[in-house]
Amino acid sequence: MWYELAFTPDDNDTWLVTAPQFDEVASYGATDEEACRNGRNAIEEAIAARIAHGDDIPFPLKETKGKGWFVEVPALVFLKSALYMALREKGWSRADLMRELKCQREHVDRLFRLDHNSRLDSLEEAFKALGHPLRFDMEFHKAA
């Protein structure tokens, strides 16, 4: 899933990078590539901070239309963000999810930490507990 970046020329031959969906994101880059990488990292940090503070996460774009700069967040960041928003939508706390999954607090906390490499089966179980079975809408390709 994608988020948009905005580039503004800076005084020092660099780009100031912001993200329209995240007021708190501000980064920079000397090249387009560096600016995109730093912008994506700043978006990931903003998502982690929003999860930590209990704030909403903007819905990512499903596709990139028009002119502009866009960055794709890693699948694990997307899944953890979606799980967090599903938890909020249901009105549950992490303790509620812990009781439903019959697991330790640390296990549930790791599901929402972007710096933890959670297992897909753990995320799938959590989505099911929230009433949102994990689905993938990608094509299954034929063998050659």
Side-chain angles (χ1 to χ4, degrees):
M1 294 292 165
W2 300 85
Y3 286 106
E4 185 176 2
L5 296 176
F7 288 8
T8 306
D10 199 2
D11 294 337
N12 302 322
D13 294 328
T14 59
W15 295 101
L16 170 65
V17 182
T18 57
Q21 292 174 282
F22 295 90
D23 292 337
E24 67 271 33
V25 166
S27 191
Y28 67 93
T31 65
D32 296 348
E33 182 179 302
E34 183 182 42
C36 283
R37 184 177 55 251
N38 292 344
R40 188 189 78 194
N41 290 342
I43 287 172
E44 289 180 33
E45 289 296 324
I47 291 170
R50 286 180 180 219
I51 290 171
H53 295 128
D55 298 329
D56 285 342
I57 298 169
F59 193 81
L61 305 168
K62 290 185 179 183
E63 56 187 336
T64 57
K65 289 185 177 179
K67 296 180 181 178
W69 297 94
F70 301 90
V71 290
E72 187 173 23
V73 295
L76 196 55
V77 171
F78 172 74
L79 288 173
K80 288 182 177 221
S81 301
L83 181 65
Y84 167 75
M85 290 304 291
L87 185 82
R88 285 178 55 90
E89 180 183 279
K90 191 166 178 88
W92 278 15
S93 67
R94 290 184 189 190
D96 294 324
L97 183 59
M98 182 183 74
R99 283 187 289 275
E100 185 68 24
L101 294 174
K102 297 175 180 63
C103 65
Q104 303 266 334
R105 177 182 174 182
E106 294 82 22
H107 176 73
V108 169
D109 285 345
R110 287 184 195 124
L111 293 173
F112 299 99
R113 282 189 32 216
L114 301 187
D115 64 343
H116 184 268
N117 195 16
S118 297
R119 291 173 40 135
L120 185 57
D121 60 338
S122 295
L123 288 162
E124 187 175 21
E125 206 176 316
F127 274 104
K128 282 181 188 173
L130 291 169
H132 295 280
L134 195 53
R135 296 185 320 261
F136 295 97
D137 294 331
M138 60 185 285
E139 290 184 31
F140 195 82
H141 295 277
K142 296 179 185 178

